[in-house]
Amino acid sequence: MASAASVWALAATAALAMDPPLTPAGWGELRIGMSEAEAVRRFGLTLAPDDGVNGPACRESRLPGPSGLTVMTEDGKVTRLTLYDRGSLKTDRGLSVGSTAAEVRNAYGAALRATRHAYEDPPAAYLTYRVAKGGLGVRYEIGADRRVAAIHAGRSIDYVEGCL
């Protein structure tokens, strides 16, 4: 007979396997452009307090639950979703935190733009894909180990620190 822990682990694995992919337009029903109030109501987003770093003009709040997503809102609208947790969600190209830079390059080909990382020396970099219309995109932060450290999706993907 399976233990309660193994049953829970199987259920958690099945739930993650059913998660929608992270795309330039959002994650499932959590969409870029959605109002902050709707994200609070529909997804239980707990807004970061106004503390000098976060405020109504821009804030980053962690989505509750196992998704591992951080939600950026600016002036009351969702503008970016960020994934920092290894092995949680995947993008619509099958990539996740921990994927290699080579895997990202293979997934996007010539449509990918590489730029220098703001704080780390090469091979660290930002690999960015923009959708042709709407200003949406996905940005992969590549660390010195040549692996994805974070994935930003939406509009405000070029910010390096919070809303900057």
Side-chain angles (χ1 to χ4, degrees):
M1 175 173 266
S3 71
S6 63
V7 170
W8 182 88
L10 286 172
T13 301
L16 285 175
M18 293 186 296
D19 278 335
L22 182 63
T23 73
W27 178 65
E29 294 182 23
L30 179 57
R31 309 305 288 173
I32 301 302
M34 172 183 283
S35 75
E36 184 178 80
E38 186 175 0
V40 168
R41 182 178 52 78
R42 291 185 60 198
F43 302 100
L45 182 65
T46 301
L47 298 178
D50 297 353
D51 60 4
V53 174
N54 290 291
C58 181
R59 69 176 93 234
E60 290 184 285
S61 307
R62 182 78 176 215
L63 192 67
S67 72
L69 283 174
T70 298
V71 178
M72 176 182 281
T73 57
E74 296 177 79
D75 299 320
K77 297 284 185 189
V78 174
T79 59
R80 182 175 86 184
L81 302 175
T82 297
L83 184 59
Y84 295 108
D85 296 347
R86 186 179 200 119
S88 50
L89 298 180
K90 293 184 183 260
T91 67
D92 56 345
R93 304 284 174 117
L95 302 164
S96 62
V97 172
S99 293
T100 66
E103 291 170 326
V104 176
R105 285 186 170 92
N106 286 338
Y108 290 93
L112 201 63
R113 183 177 53 99
T115 54
R116 186 175 175 88
H117 197 285
Y119 300 113
E120 295 183 47
D121 291 329
Y126 300 119
L127 301 178
T128 306
Y129 166 76
R130 291 276 184 192
V131 176
K133 56 184 175 183
L136 299 174
V138 180
R139 183 182 210 187
Y140 298 86
E141 277 190 48
I142 307 299
D145 63 354
R146 293 183 168 91
R147 292 197 172 272
V148 175
I151 303 170
H152 309 284
R155 289 195 198 294
S156 303
I157 61 175
D158 292 325
Y159 297 163
V160 177
E161 290 186 32
C163 294
L164 304 174

